[in-house]
């Protein structure tokens, strides 16, 4: 089995910062892509940022220049540094990993349980 455990959410004022972490554990051979998604009340889940094993990153336009995704491959951990937070960033943030459990096997997609981020004065 594979588990993704997130941490770092909370309540912050507009303009503040938070850092999310997500650690993957279990039967893992390699992790191809790790990413962060978010879902606000009444809205669909959207991709926030993703990073490949080689370090290539992609961001949704609304967070470019404010959020930074990074990963520690040795620790199977992905981070999301969120700066200059806005009320519209309020959502549940979910970690996602696309990984292989053995060298010749298929790619599976796993999700974390979600962590709440609230931006409010």
């Amino acid at each position: 089995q594979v588990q993704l455990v997130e941490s770092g959410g909370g309540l912050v004022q507009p303009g503040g910062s938070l850092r999310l972490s997500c650690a993957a554990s279990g039967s893992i051979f390699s992790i191809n892509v790790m990413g962060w998604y978010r879902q606000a009340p009444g809205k669909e889940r959207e991709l926030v940022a993703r990073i490949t094993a080689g370090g290539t990153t992609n961001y949704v336009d609304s967070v470019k220049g404010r959020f930074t995704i990074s990963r520690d491959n040795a620790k199977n951990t992905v981070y999301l540094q969120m700066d200059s937070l806005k009320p519209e960033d309020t959502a549940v943030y979910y970690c996602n990993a696309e990984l292989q459990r053995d060298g010749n096997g298929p790619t599976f997609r796993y999700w974390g349980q979600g962590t709440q981020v609230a931006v409010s004065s």
Side-chain angles (χ1 to χ4, degrees):
Q1 291 293 335
V2 174
Q3 280 191 314
L4 302 183
V5 179
E6 299 140 341
S7 60
L11 173 64
V12 65
Q13 292 186 340
S17 297
L18 283 174
R19 188 188 193 217
L20 305 182
S21 300
C22 171
S25 63
S27 180
I28 299 170
F29 176 77
S30 66
I31 303 178
N32 302 325
V33 181
M34 300 190 83
W36 290 94
Y37 289 70
R38 66 186 178 187
Q39 188 166 20
K43 294 190 176 181
E44 303 223 340
R45 190 174 296 190
E46 67 169 351
L47 173 66
V48 177
R50 63 193 295 271
I51 183 168
T52 68
T56 300
T57 58
N58 298 96
Y59 297 90
V60 67
D61 286 347
S62 59
V63 308
K64 286 180 180 176
R66 301 188 297 120
F67 291 11
T68 303
I69 190 170
S70 60
R71 64 188 280 178
D72 184 333
N73 291 331
K75 296 181 179 180
N76 288 337
T77 299
V78 63
Y79 307 96
L80 186 67
Q81 177 66 40
M82 304 185 293
D83 299 318
S84 302
L85 281 159
K86 304 175 180 180
E88 50 263 44
D89 295 317
T90 296
V92 178
Y93 283 69
Y94 296 91
C95 174
N96 173 265
E98 298 173 17
L99 58 87
Q100 289 181 293
R101 296 174 62 177
D102 61 67
N104 296 316
T107 297
F108 294 94
R109 200 170 190 187
Y110 289 89
W111 292 91
Q113 79 283 359
T115 185
Q116 177 71 52
V117 170
V119 185
S120 175
S121 54

